[in-house]
Amino acid sequence: MEKLSIEDMAVFCKRKGFVYPSSEIYGGFSGFWDFGHLGVELKNNIKNEWWKYHVQQREDIVGIDGSIITHPKVWQASGHVENFEDIMLKCSKCKQEIRADHFIEEKLKVNVEGRSVDEINSIMKKNKLKCPKCSSDFEKIRQFNLMFKTSVGPGEDNSSAAYLRPETAQLIFADFKLVADNARLKLPFGIAQIGKGFRNEISPRDFLFRCREFEMMEIEYFAHPEKTGKCPFIDEVNEEELSFLTAEMQEKKQQPKKMKVKDAIKRKLISEWHAYWLATEQKWFTGLGAKKENFRVRQHLEKEKSHYALDTWDLEYNFPFGWKELQGIANRSDFDLKQHIKFSGSDLSIFDEETRKKIVPYVVAEPSQGVERAFLVFMFDAYEYDKKRENVVLKLHPKLAPVKAGVFPLVNKLDNEAKKIYDSLKKDFNCIFDKSGSIGRRYARADEAGIPYCITVDFDTLKDKAVTVRNRDDTKQVRVPIKDLREAIGKLINNS
């Protein structure tokens, strides 16, 4: 099958009720998307599975839910007011605004992320790049801060200025001491958060990949500053195989190399903490049905690294428009906590029982995952056009599937019996009741919605008190007694 484009996915998502352009009746609003009746269920399931895996099933991580608008000094301390910028191009004639690094990448097929204004200016002049819309020259290149500014309270002067948060991490640092003390955490430990972020992207594009409003699933993982070299959990992932692309390999124009985590560590290609979290995150995705061959891990080049990062690796996915960041994992050291100590005057150190000293922990890893990008990964790896059935089959993992089961009466005469079964199941699972059209048409609709199990009530049901359960992926059917149905569906979902 020809690879699905990002535009094709956007069309499918709109047609089936997963994602809509926001306020489309007014022409839409670039960079903003609304999730439909299936999309909101899938999105919530992704977040629930992430939280279960990363927080509830671990002893070393707890969660918070910070506010979207916080004290503006938080963003001064973090460096966002000064450093959270992209380079913008503006056409001198038609006034179209474009993000410079993306424009150059599209035109010249080179990665210029992290380059300075002077370097971008030089590349533009050397290659005589013009406005793609009207072929005119660009105005003077300038930096553009990506934070959304707002006002708090009735006034609109500088004293009321605040920002919509561009990331969730800073609230974790601001609340660090309270959480560590209240949850009685011992190093190493993590603090997790899921929540909205906002970035005033110059040119949002590629459907859900680059939005102005998005959700993040993020962990700040803290360790003793003198014990950052060893990860106590590394044995859990030593045998995991990843496709590695180090900074040195990129500079030498080499291709990624597949190897086990233990071998990459032995060759000193990667730290134990980065290896552990990259392998852990890939395992989370593949455990929920994503395809391993579509992942690789790439180290940031020196010029790409954020102002706070000692080292950063991305878990990348092979999107239709190329290998792109799915999840960034940075070693932020003690940068953030020390910045907040400096700007707030508060003591954010913790007492280390072993050394009997106060310390400021290091963030050895920051697994930071966009919900919308995870949404795209699961959708792309689930999407399949079945030539035999002549319809799309969305093979989402049952735990992620928006609707777990469809209940179908074979004919209208069986509606009452089918409705009883539906009413019983909906207490435990998100189900639908569908009696419209032929049974084949209903199966096709269920396939496209990603419903893993279809339950058909037929005339034999009145005699044997059993129903037919059809599996979405292989269309195999089994007969299940009604009295065992709830347990059977539960086992199918949880043991997949």
Side-chain angles (χ1 to χ4, degrees):
M1 186 186 83
E2 187 178 330
K3 193 165 186 177
L4 200 69
S5 71
I6 193 73
E7 293 80 14
D8 292 334
M9 180 57 76
V11 170
F12 176 79
C13 284
K14 181 182 176 182
R15 179 169 62 85
K16 298 307 298 181
F18 282 94
V19 185
Y20 309 127
S22 185
S23 57
E24 189 180 35
I25 61 171
Y26 294 101
F29 206 35
S30 182
F32 299 92
W33 300 90
D34 298 334
F35 287 79
H37 73 291
L38 293 179
V40 69
E41 296 291 344
L42 174 56
K43 194 179 184 191
N44 285 339
N45 290 343
I46 290 170
K47 291 187 288 186
N48 289 339
E49 288 300 319
W50 187 92
W51 194 260
K52 194 185 301 178
Y53 182 88
H54 292 88
V55 181
Q56 294 173 346
Q57 293 177 357
R58 297 182 66 118
E59 296 180 14
D60 57 333
I61 297 179
V62 298
I64 68 164
D65 184 8
S67 65
I68 285 172
I69 297 175
T70 190
H71 199 294
K73 280 192 176 179
V74 167
W75 307 112
Q76 293 172 23
S78 68
H80 281 81
V81 172
E82 185 179 347
N83 297 306
F84 197 58
E85 297 177 325
D86 279 335
I87 299 173
M88 186 174 79
L89 305 173
K90 187 174 183 178
C91 178
S92 59
K93 186 177 179 182
C94 72
K95 305 302 179 184
Q96 182 180 15
E97 295 172 338
I98 309 169
R99 182 168 156 175
D101 57 344
H102 290 169
F103 175 67
I104 292 170
E105 184 180 348
E106 285 178 0
K107 290 292 182 182
L108 305 179
K109 308 302 179 191
V110 293
N111 182 4
V112 294
E113 192 170 347
R115 299 288 182 92
S116 68
V117 169
D118 289 341
E119 288 174 309
I120 293 291
N121 215 15
S122 175
I123 293 169
M124 295 290 293
K125 286 180 179 178
K126 181 181 176 181
N127 293 278
K128 298 178 180 178
L129 297 177
K130 306 284 185 181
C131 172
K133 191 173 181 181
C134 68
S135 301
S136 300
D137 291 327
F138 290 104
E139 293 178 2
K140 186 179 178 181
I141 294 172
R142 67 183 180 91
Q143 297 273 37
F144 177 77
N145 193 288
L146 299 176
M147 286 198 293
F148 279 103
K149 206 169 183 178
T150 187
S151 294
V152 175
E156 292 190 8
D157 54 15
N158 287 336
S159 65
S160 67
Y163 303 93
L164 302 186
R165 65 183 183 194
E167 65 174 27
T168 57
Q170 294 307 318
L171 276 299
I172 293 175
F173 298 122
D175 291 340
F176 169 78
K177 187 70 180 291
L178 289 168
V179 178
D181 288 347
N182 293 154
R184 301 169 63 225
L185 296 168
K186 304 294 181 187
L187 292 170
F189 66 80
I191 302 175
Q193 182 173 196
I194 297 177
K196 291 271 190 181
F198 303 83
R199 295 182 183 179
N200 195 9
E201 294 282 353
I202 296 166
S203 47
R205 59 179 186 168
D206 294 326
F207 188 31
L208 296 176
F209 183 80
R210 192 171 300 283
C211 312
R212 287 176 168 139
E213 177 184 340
F214 50 90
E215 276 194 277
M216 300 179 77
M217 307 181 289
E218 197 160 56
I219 298 168
E220 301 302 323
Y221 201 88
F222 300 91
H224 193 291
E226 295 173 7
K227 300 176 183 177
T228 59
K230 286 290 180 183
C231 170
F233 318 117
I234 197 65
D235 287 346
E236 296 174 17
V237 299
N238 262 332
E239 298 300 320
E240 292 294 318
E241 187 179 71
L242 302 176
S243 183
F244 288 89
L245 186 60
T246 66
E248 183 181 354
M249 290 162 69
Q250 293 169 71
E251 287 162 357
K252 291 180 178 179
K253 309 294 183 186
Q254 295 176 347
Q255 292 299 307
K257 292 180 181 176
K258 289 182 180 179
M259 64 185 86
K260 289 183 177 180
V261 163
K262 64 180 181 183
D263 297 326
I265 292 171
K266 189 176 181 180
R267 293 172 59 179
K268 300 188 185 308
L269 299 180
I270 192 170
S271 71
E272 287 192 10
W273 280 111
H274 262 120
Y276 169 74
W277 279 108
L278 287 162
T280 297
E281 297 312 291
Q282 182 174 292
K283 276 175 66 179
W284 179 72
F285 274 101
T286 56
L288 289 169
K291 297 173 181 176
K292 190 174 181 178
E293 63 268 24
N294 286 333
F295 293 87
R296 73 179 187 187
V297 299
R298 185 184 73 84
Q299 185 179 26
H300 279 208
L301 299 170
E302 189 64 34
K303 60 193 174 189
E304 284 183 88
K305 289 194 295 190
S306 301
H307 61 279
Y308 52 73
L310 278 184
D311 190 18
T312 302
W313 286 73
D314 288 343
L315 178 64
E316 293 191 331
Y317 178 81
N318 190 15
F319 288 97
F321 40 89
W323 288 98
K324 297 292 180 183
E325 177 192 343
L326 172 60
Q327 178 172 161
I329 301 182
N331 178 332
R332 300 178 76 120
S333 69
D334 57 4
F335 174 85
D336 298 275
L337 287 178
K338 283 193 170 177
Q339 283 293 101
H340 288 299
I341 290 169
K342 176 183 173 183
F343 275 75
S344 71
S346 299
D347 180 12
L348 300 180
S349 63
I350 59 175
F351 185 74
D352 180 50
E353 296 284 353
E354 190 176 327
T355 60
R356 311 299 295 174
K357 293 179 182 177
K358 278 191 168 185
I359 58 163
V360 177
Y362 266 43
V363 172
V364 287
E366 178 199 42
S368 179
Q369 174 65 61
V371 176
E372 287 80 4
R373 292 189 186 186
F375 185 103
L376 286 177
V377 165
F378 290 122
M379 288 293 285
F380 274 114
D381 281 356
Y383 186 102
E384 181 181 304
Y385 183 80
D386 190 303
K387 291 181 179 178
K388 188 175 180 181
R389 299 187 223 181
E390 296 184 330
N391 61 259
V392 171
V393 182
L394 197 60
K395 295 184 176 181
L396 290 166
H397 192 287
K399 289 180 180 177
L400 297 181
V403 177
K404 308 306 183 190
V407 180
F408 307 152
L410 187 63
V411 295
N412 291 340
K413 288 180 181 179
L414 299 168
D415 282 5
N416 289 339
E417 191 67 28
K419 204 69 166 50
K420 289 177 188 175
I421 293 170
Y422 166 71
D423 288 339
S424 172
L425 289 178
K426 72 180 182 182
K427 296 172 184 175
D428 296 290
F429 312 106
N430 190 24
C431 305
I432 62 162
F433 178 82
D434 189 357
K435 64 176 185 177
S436 175
S438 69
I439 197 71
R441 186 61 234 149
R442 282 178 271 173
Y443 282 157
R445 281 199 295 264
D447 288 345
E448 292 191 334
I451 300 173
Y453 309 110
C454 291
I455 299 159
T456 302
V457 177
D458 54 29
F459 288 109
D460 287 338
T461 303
L462 302 176
K463 303 171 190 173
D464 62 7
K465 301 300 179 186
V467 291
T468 299
V469 178
R470 171 192 182 263
N471 185 295
R472 173 198 64 205
D473 294 348
D474 58 16
T475 71
K476 288 182 179 177
Q477 300 185 2
V478 293
R479 201 76 179 160
V480 178
I482 295 173
K483 63 181 178 63
D484 300 331
L485 190 56
R486 183 189 289 116
E487 184 182 357
I489 295 297
K491 284 181 178 178
L492 287 169
I493 293 168
N494 292 316
N495 297 334
S496 297

